[in-house]
Amino acid sequence: MKKLKLDELNRASVAEFKAMEKFPVAVVLDNVRSMHNIGSIFRTADGFAVEQICLCGITACPPHREIEKTALGATQSINWKYFETPLKAIEQLRNEGYAIIAVEQAQNSVMLNEFSPAEGVKYALVFGNEVNGVSEEVMANIDACIEIPQFGTKHSFNIVVSAGIVLWDFYRSIVHSR
């Protein structure tokens, strides 16, 4: 087995990526404080070709050197918007036809492995602050809450790991149901 070189991967250019059909998901970052986490989520969102990222509250915005360290240019390919509050973001997304789904440990949450994204539905996945999670005001305005099953001694995954797990699961579920 031989590893592929970068020029053998046949990746889309930024212009080609912007023109291609996107995965019907928006990522909402509710007051995420780490610029490295923000950059990593841009890179993950690029990998799954999500429609957009909504940066809310204290979440930093590109261009910024600390975001670019982990984004590796994905801030150029992914559409993003800044919102003063996450509530403004989810209000706009709901008006655009997105179902609002928090990724959080909560009463009556549905385990990710038991949640089936519906074909033809656009989803806005809300990921919260590294310490406090998804804000209570957002939790009061969601359509559903999904939780990633965990089996170890820690209480949560890093936000970037959570985003990767959930985006992969949604991608696998939606694309393979076509």
Side-chain angles (χ1 to χ4, degrees):
M1 182 153 319
K2 171 186 155 295
K3 286 178 30 175
L4 295 175
K5 294 182 178 8
L6 288 178
D7 61 341
E8 295 174 306
L9 293 176
N10 297 318
R11 297 291 187 215
S13 68
V14 171
E16 292 167 333
F17 180 88
K18 288 205 173 262
M20 68 191 279
E21 183 180 352
K22 301 294 185 295
F23 185 50
V25 170
V27 171
V28 179
L29 300 184
D30 177 359
N31 291 292
V32 173
R33 62 188 173 128
S34 165
M35 286 191 255
H36 292 156
N37 284 343
I38 297 163
S40 292
I41 288 174
F42 265 93
R43 189 169 168 191
T44 301
D46 176 275
F48 288 106
V50 303
E51 289 182 342
Q52 63 181 305
I53 295 177
C54 298
L55 307 170
C56 307
I58 67 165
T59 307
C61 297
H64 196 285
R65 182 174 64 89
E66 293 301 309
I67 293 172
E68 286 304 326
K69 278 184 181 179
T70 51
L72 299 179
T75 57
Q76 304 303 309
S77 58
I78 292 291
N79 290 327
W80 63 272
K81 298 176 194 166
Y82 175 77
F83 294 86
E84 193 173 301
T85 69
L87 284 179
K88 289 181 180 178
I90 64 173
E91 179 182 339
Q92 180 174 321
L93 291 165
R94 184 170 277 123
N95 289 339
E96 293 174 7
Y98 287 84
I100 311 301
I101 310 292
V103 179
E104 186 58 86
Q105 298 166 331
Q107 186 177 33
N108 299 319
S109 63
V110 176
M111 290 297 163
L112 180 60
N113 56 304
E114 296 172 359
F115 184 84
S116 296
E119 190 172 348
V121 176
K122 297 192 311 183
Y123 291 97
L125 300 172
V126 183
F127 296 91
N129 175 277
E130 294 90 339
V131 174
N132 301 314
V134 176
S135 60
E136 292 295 338
E137 63 210 28
V138 169
M139 292 298 290
N141 288 284
I142 59 174
D143 299 313
C145 181
I146 56 176
E147 182 176 338
I148 302 168
Q150 297 177 57
F151 309 102
T153 62
K154 300 302 166 196
H155 298 288
S156 64
F157 289 113
N158 174 279
I159 182 175
V160 176
V161 172
S162 294
I165 290 169
V166 173
L167 286 169
W168 167 249
D169 190 76
F170 270 60
Y171 182 83
R172 183 192 51 77
S173 297
I174 293 170
V175 171
H176 286 276
S177 69
R178 290 181 181 167

